[in-house]
Amino acid sequence: MNADGRTRLNQTPEWTALAKHREELGEVRLRELFAADPGRGTGYTLRVGDLHLDYSKHLVTDETLRLLHALAAATDVFGLRDAMFRGEKINVTEDRAVLHTALRAPRDAVIEVDGENVVPAVHAVLDKMAGFAERVRFGEWTGHTGKRIKSIVNIGIGGSDLGPAMAYEVLRSFTDRDLTVRFVSNVDGADLHEATRDLDPAETLFIIASKTFTTIETITNATSARDWLLTELKAGQDAVAKHFVALSTNAGKVSEFGIDTANMFEFWDWVGGRYSYDSAIGLSLMIAIGPDRFREMLDGFHLVDEHFRTAPAESNVPLLLGLLGVWYGNFHDAQSHAVLPYSHYLSKFTAYLQQLDMESNGKYVGRDGQEVDWQTGPVVWGTPGTNGQHAYYQLIHQGTKLIPADFIGFAEPVAELSDGLKAQHDLLMANFFAQTQALAFGKTPDEVRAEGVPEELVPHKTFKGNHPTTTILARELTPSVLGQLIALYEHKVFVQGAVWNIDSFDQWGVELGKVLAKRVEPALTEGADVPGLDASTTALVAKYRELRGR
Ligand code: F6P
C-alpha cells in the first residue's frame, strides 16, 4: 500500500496483468506480427495536427495496448491531466500549479490559479515581448551609443537556455539572417568569450534569462557580460539599461542586478524551467523569428494541448507514447530511449528533451514520499539520424540492449535550400525509412546465406531485428510543427510521471551539487579548510591547486 492509501503500482491487477502478458508474449517477432495482420502498417497509426505517427513497429498487440490503457485508467492519468489543466497544485513538493499550457492558451481562455485568471497576464507579456521584439528587429531599439542592435546574446542555463537555443536552431530558416543570436550557458568563461569575442558591444543586447535570478552560472556570466560591455564601451552604469533585459519571475533580484524592471519580461512560478521556452524565456527566439512566427508556434503547442485534453484514450497520442515507454521500461527492462531526428535543424532537439524528460522523471521517490520499486524515467539520448548511423547505430542494431527509438522526419526539405540541396532530401529520407525497417525486421541467417556469405561470417551479418521504433512524420518543419512536437513530448513525460506516481515538476536532485560547489569553491581559491570534505575530494582539490601553481 502507498502512504496515500493507493495500492502500490506494481501490485495493482493492471500491472500484474501486463507482467503476465509480457511473459506470454515472450520473444514476439515483429515479422510475425506483420505477417499475421496485413493492415498493421496503416492500422497502427495516429494523427495529431500535422504529425502522422506510426507505432506499428512496436512489440505490442491489441491486447498489449488494451492492458496499457487499463493501467492508465487505474492510475488515473486523465484525472491528473484534468487537474493540471484546471490549475490545481499538482506539483505537490513545491505546492505549485503546473500551467505551461496556459502560456499558449488563446486570449479568451479562462484558467485560474488561486482564483485568478492568468490568461490576461500571459497575453500582456506576449504583447510586451512582441513590441520589444519588433523594435529590435526594425532597428528602433538602439544601444547606448545610438547604434542599431545586431547581436543578441541570451545568458541562461537549463530551461532558460535549452529551449530557446534548440528552437532557434530548429527555426533558423525563419530567422532574420541579419541578426546574430547566441546562447551562453556554461559558467566556463570560454563560453562567454567565444560568444562575444567578435561582437561590437555597441550593437549587442544581452538577455539575462533566469526564472529565479539566483542561478550562480547565469548571474556570474551576466556580471562578466556587464563588465565586458561597460569596459569596452567605456560607459557608466546607465549603459546597462539599453543593453540588458531580463526574463524572470524575480523582480527584486533583477533590479538588484541593475536591470530596469521596465525591461523585465515576467513569467510565473507555475511555469517550470524546462517547460518555459514558450514564456518570456523565448524572447531571443521571438526577436529572431518575429512575433507572428512565435504565435504560430504557440498555436502548434495549443493544438496538441487540446488533443491531449480531449482526445479519447485510444487515439490520444501523448498517452500512447507515454504508455509505450512504460511498456519498455517496466516490462522489458529497457534503460534508455533514443530520439533520432532526420533533420539537421533538429540538432539540439534531443538535448532539449533530455532536460524535459530526465529532470522531470528522474526520481526514485513517489508523490507519496515513498521510494518506488519500479523503474522511472529512461536515459534519453540521440543526435540527428544520419550522423548517428555512422557512429552508434551499430549498437542499436546488433548490441545487447533494447533501445526503443523515435524517428522524426519531414516530407519536404526546408524551403530556403537551393534546388540542388533539396534534391538530397530523398536520400536523407531513404535512410530514415531504411533504418526503421532494418531495426524492425533485421536479416535472417538464411537471407544472409542466400547472398553467398561464407558460413563463418553469417552470424556477424545477421540482424535479429525486433528493435521497436516510433515514426513521426510531418510535411514540413514549421514553427507550428515545432510547437506540436514539443507539446507532444511534454505530455508524454506527464503521462509517464502520472503512471509512476512521481512529481514530474520538481527537481530536488539538482540541489546537492549546487550547495557542495559553493562549499568547495573557497578550497580551490584560498586553500580554505572545508569541513566535512571527503578524502578523495580533498586529495583532488590539492592536486588541482598544485597544477594551478597555488
Ligand atoms: O538546476 C536546475 C534548474 O533549476 C532547472 O530546473 C532550471 O531550468 C535551471 O536550473 C535554471 O534556473 P533559472 O531559470 O532559475 O536560472
Side-chain angles (χ1 to χ4, degrees):
M1 196 70 89
N2 282 346
D4 57 10
R6 281 163 55 154
T7 308
R8 298 287 284 165
L9 175 63
N10 53 1
Q11 285 158 20
T12 58
E14 292 77 11
W15 185 279
T16 315
L18 273 161
K20 186 162 167 273
H21 173 68
R22 166 73 182 97
E23 244 178 72
E24 283 163 5
L25 269 186
E27 287 305 302
V28 64
R29 309 298 304 167
L30 282 168
R31 280 186 184 236
E32 288 159 20
L33 293 177
F34 274 83
D37 176 9
R40 188 177 171 99
T42 48
Y44 275 40
T45 60
L46 285 175
R47 188 171 187 93
V48 51
D50 297 306
L51 310 177
H52 171 84
L53 185 125
D54 177 314
Y55 60 99
S56 62
K57 295 191 185 83
H58 277 289
L59 304 172
V60 295
T61 62
D62 287 351
E63 178 64 359
T64 320
L65 296 169
R66 193 187 66 73
L67 293 170
L68 285 168
H69 279 124
L71 183 70
T75 50
D76 198 22
V77 172
F78 279 178
L80 193 68
R81 171 201 67 182
D82 294 342
M84 172 176 76
F85 277 95
R86 275 197 305 270
E88 284 176 28
K89 296 189 175 169
I90 63 162
N91 177 355
V92 285
T93 70
E94 296 181 314
D95 193 29
R96 286 178 182 169
V98 173
L99 269 183
H100 42 279
T101 50
L103 298 170
R104 51 266 190 155
R107 247 174 231 284
D108 57 359
V110 177
I111 301 167
E112 291 187 351
V113 178
D114 292 330
E116 193 192 330
N117 181 14
V118 297
V119 179
V122 165
H123 282 272
V125 173
L126 280 172
D127 292 344
K128 180 175 167 183
M129 289 166 65
F132 180 75
E134 295 291 38
R135 289 179 73 194
V136 174
R137 286 164 65 81
F138 296 139
E140 290 163 14
W141 180 279
T142 51
H144 181 63
T145 65
K147 277 187 161 181
R148 181 181 184 146
I149 296 297
K150 290 200 181 139
S151 308
I152 318 285
V153 180
N154 184 88
I155 298 182
I157 198 164
S160 299
D161 165 74
L162 289 163
M166 173 276 294
Y168 175 71
E169 285 304 320
V170 175
L171 300 176
R172 227 171 222 274
S173 74
F174 296 89
T175 61
D176 178 342
R177 299 289 195 170
D178 292 332
L179 284 172
T180 300
V181 183
R182 291 181 181 159
F183 296 86
V184 171
S185 54
N186 199 327
V187 76
D188 182 342
D191 199 359
L192 185 63
H193 167 73
E194 289 298 334
T196 53
R197 56 181 287 283
D198 56 348
L199 298 186
D200 177 353
E203 300 178 342
T204 302
L205 175 74
F206 288 97
I207 298 181
I208 313 302
S210 176
K211 179 175 167 180
T212 55
F213 230 76
T214 56
T215 304
I216 193 142
E217 292 89 338
T218 299
I219 301 308
T220 304
N221 275 327
T223 306
S224 298
R226 188 179 55 192
D227 293 346
W228 173 80
L229 182 106
L230 299 184
T231 309
E232 296 286 315
L233 285 184
K234 297 183 181 55
Q237 202 58 30
D238 57 326
V240 170
K242 300 296 273 176
H243 292 272
F244 281 79
V245 299
L247 320 175
S248 188
T249 58
N250 191 342
K253 288 281 175 197
V254 167
S255 109
E256 213 174 276
F257 181 83
I259 296 177
D260 186 348
T261 45
N263 297 333
M264 167 177 149
F265 299 83
E266 186 194 7
F267 60 114
W268 307 272
D269 72 0
W270 40 261
V271 183
R274 53 194 174 273
Y275 298 86
S276 69
Y277 98 78
D278 47 347
S279 71
I281 291 295
L283 183 65
S284 53
L285 175 69
M286 189 193 266
I287 295 172
I289 64 174
D292 291 346
R293 296 293 197 190
F294 195 87
R295 288 204 163 96
E296 281 171 37
M297 183 186 76
L298 295 184
D299 291 345
F301 272 98
H302 181 63
L303 187 153
V304 174
D305 291 344
E306 282 304 282
H307 165 86
F308 180 50
R309 193 175 68 80
T310 61
E314 296 66 37
S315 55
N316 199 302
V317 179
L319 180 70
L320 174 74
L321 291 183
L323 292 175
L324 287 170
V326 169
W327 177 233
Y328 294 114
N330 298 114
F331 299 95
H332 289 76
D333 204 27
Q335 303 292 315
S336 81
H337 183 92
V339 180
L340 307 167
Y342 277 65
S343 162
H344 179 69
Y345 290 104
L346 288 173
S347 60
K348 293 188 173 170
F349 188 75
T350 311
Y352 170 80
L353 292 186
Q354 284 181 324
Q355 189 202 13
L356 174 65
D357 200 322
M358 294 163 77
E359 200 170 74
S360 295
N361 285 343
K363 318 268 164 80
Y364 64 78
V365 175
R367 292 163 68 84
D368 60 344
Q370 258 185 281
E371 260 189 50
V372 300
D373 37 25
W374 45 89
Q375 265 211 65
T376 60
V379 176
V380 176
W381 61 282
T383 51
T386 38
N387 295 357
Q389 284 172 212
H390 294 273
Y392 50 76
Y393 274 37
Q394 164 68 37
L395 185 145
I396 309 182
H397 282 288
Q398 286 189 320
T400 52
K401 295 170 175 58
L402 177 73
I403 303 175
D406 296 347
F407 278 66
I408 304 171
F410 303 91
E412 293 284 348
V414 159
E416 195 184 79
L417 302 191
S418 67
D419 287 347
L421 292 178
K422 276 184 185 151
Q424 294 182 198
H425 194 69
D426 289 334
L427 177 57
L428 170 72
M429 292 305 284
N431 277 279
F432 175 81
F433 294 118
Q435 286 298 327
T436 58
Q437 187 189 3
L439 285 167
F441 305 111
K443 199 172 187 182
T444 64
D446 285 346
E447 287 167 345
V448 176
R449 277 186 202 106
E451 288 173 354
V453 170
E455 197 53 36
E456 68 274 18
L457 283 182
V458 169
H460 298 281
K461 296 198 165 198
T462 297
F463 289 69
K464 282 190 179 167
N466 244 23
H467 300 290
T469 57
T470 301
T471 297
I472 301 175
L473 188 62
R475 198 171 73 80
E476 57 181 331
L477 182 50
T478 61
S480 169
V481 165
L482 174 62
Q484 293 172 41
L485 281 169
I486 299 297
L488 185 63
Y489 280 98
E490 285 178 350
H491 298 317
K492 170 201 166 172
V493 166
F494 177 92
V495 166
Q496 298 189 332
V499 171
W500 293 323
N501 194 31
I502 52 177
D503 185 339
S504 302
F505 302 100
D506 60 16
Q507 57 285 316
W508 300 108
V510 299
E511 293 306 320
L512 180 60
K514 288 185 192 173
V515 172
L516 292 185
K518 231 181 226 166
R519 207 181 291 164
V520 171
E521 199 188 356
L524 309 188
T525 51
E526 302 151 22
D529 222 358
V530 176
L533 211 60
D534 66 274
S536 161
T537 313
T538 304
L540 286 167
V541 167
K543 179 56 77 183
Y544 171 85
R545 284 181 57 81
E546 179 195 318
L547 291 171
R548 285 213 68 175
R550 285 180 179 157

